[in-house]
Amino acid sequence: MKNVIVVVGAGPLGLAIARRIGAGKHIVLADLRQETADAAVEQFLDAGFDASAAIVDIASRSSIEALVEKVTAIGTITGLIHAAGVSPSMASAEVILRVDLYGTAVLLDAFGAIIAPGGSGVVIASQSGHRLPALTPQEDDALAMTSAEELLALPMLQPDRVTDTLQAYQLSKRANVLRVKAQAVAWGKRGARINAISPGIVITPLARHELTGPRADYYNRMVTGSPVGRAGTPDEVGAVGALLMGPDGAFITGSDILMDGGVTASWFYGDLKPA
C-alpha cells in the first residue's frame, strides 16, 4: 500500500506544501474543478511526483465521504493539506459559512478517522480570523466543539448576526483554528497531529482577485502598511507547512502559525490600527 497525502484545494498554497513533503508518496490533488485538479497533476507528474486527481465539494458531506473512499483505496493516509475555500469577494455570507466553516469541520472529522499513526495535517486558515474581535468563551467552545451538522444552526451564525461576507469569512477562519485545536486531541489518540497556518496576503489567484476587487484599497493598504512591506509567496507558506507536517514539527499540534508580514501586529499596535 502507498503512503498517501491528500491535498484539498489544488491552489498555490496547498501545492507548495505538497511539493516539499510529497517525494516518495502518492499525492491526491482534489479540487472542486476537474480542470484545476488535472492541471495540478500534470505539474506534479512533470516534476517527478506520483500524483492523481480527485473531485471534491467540501460544502457537501457526501462528496467528502466519496473522497475518503477514493483515497483510502489508494493507500494509507499519512497527510492532509486543506487549502480549499472562498474569499469575501467570491461568495455570499451563507456560502462562505457553508464552505469555509462547515466544510472544514466535516473534512477534519472525516480525515481524523482515517489518518495513520505518525500522520499529520495542515489547515490553511487566515490572518483575517485574528482581527475578529474576541468571542466569549462559550462562543469559542461552540465553534470548536459543536458537531459539524449542527454548526450552521448556532445562533451566532444566523443572518441577523452575520451581516456581511467579511464577517462570515473572519468567523469561519477563527472557527478553523478552534476546530484544529479541538481536533488535535482526537488526532493525537491516533498518533497523528493537526495544525493550522494563518497566512496574510500571499500572491495567489484568490489574493489577486481581492487586490483588484471591491476591497482592493483595504487589502493594498494592508500590504504597504505592514512591517514587512510586501505580500508573501506560496513557497514561504510551503516552508512553514513542511515544518508542521514533518519530523522537525513532531512536538507541534493543535497550533496556529500566523504568518502575515506583521499585518495583525500593525492592525492592533501600528499604522493599520482602525481609527
Side-chain angles (χ1 to χ4, degrees):
M1 294 286 280
K2 298 179 179 180
N3 287 333
V4 180
I5 295 171
V6 182
V7 181
V8 178
L13 300 189
L15 301 185
I17 299 172
R19 279 195 298 269
R20 288 176 176 261
I21 65 169
K25 301 179 177 66
H26 183 86
I27 306 169
V28 176
L29 299 165
D31 199 89
L32 179 64
R33 297 175 177 81
Q34 182 75 57
E35 60 271 23
T36 302
D38 288 342
V41 167
E42 288 302 310
Q43 291 179 29
F44 273 64
L45 293 176
D46 287 344
F49 292 94
D50 180 18
S52 62
I55 301 302
V56 66
D57 176 3
I58 65 166
S60 164
R61 175 177 287 276
S62 62
S63 182
I64 290 173
E65 290 173 347
L67 175 65
V68 167
E69 184 176 355
K70 178 171 183 171
V71 299
T72 52
I74 297 171
T76 302
I77 310 305
T78 60
L80 170 68
I81 301 166
H82 173 33
V86 291
S87 75
S89 297
M90 294 172 65
S92 67
E94 180 183 7
V95 170
I96 290 169
L97 291 173
R98 182 80 185 177
V99 174
D100 290 2
L101 190 152
Y102 168 79
T104 298
V106 175
L107 200 71
L108 289 176
D109 284 343
F111 279 87
I114 62 169
I115 191 73
S120 58
V122 165
V123 172
I124 300 298
S126 170
Q127 63 167 355
S128 197
H130 288 261
R131 293 197 303 277
L132 183 73
L135 302 174
T136 67
Q138 293 77 20
E139 288 172 329
D140 280 345
D141 285 351
L143 290 176
M145 299 297 293
T146 301
S147 68
E149 294 306 322
E150 296 176 346
L151 257 178
L152 296 180
L154 289 173
M156 65 183 294
L157 299 179
Q158 299 315 298
D160 63 323
R161 299 278 300 275
V162 182
T163 57
D164 61 59
T165 59
L166 180 59
Q167 185 187 10
Y169 186 75
Q170 290 179 327
L171 276 167
S172 297
K173 295 306 182 179
R174 175 72 64 82
N176 292 168
V177 170
L178 292 167
R179 299 297 288 197
V180 162
K181 187 181 293 186
Q183 284 281 344
V185 178
W187 284 48
K189 291 177 181 177
R190 296 184 60 87
R193 300 180 298 105
I194 180 72
N195 290 289
I197 300 174
S198 289
I201 297 175
V202 177
I203 298 303
T204 65
L206 187 150
R208 291 176 66 192
H209 185 273
E210 293 293 350
L211 290 167
T212 57
R215 292 188 173 89
D217 290 345
Y218 171 78
Y219 286 105
N220 280 290
R221 181 170 174 264
M222 281 199 290
V223 172
T224 58
S226 70
V228 171
R230 64 170 176 86
T233 66
D235 281 349
E236 289 173 305
V237 177
V240 173
L243 167 66
L244 292 175
M245 295 189 73
D248 288 341
F251 197 57
I252 307 172
T253 193
S255 294
D256 172 50
I257 304 297
L258 173 64
M259 52 177 308
D260 66 350
V263 166
T264 300
S266 186
W267 180 270
F268 284 105
Y269 307 115
D271 293 341
L272 294 176
K273 186 173 184 176

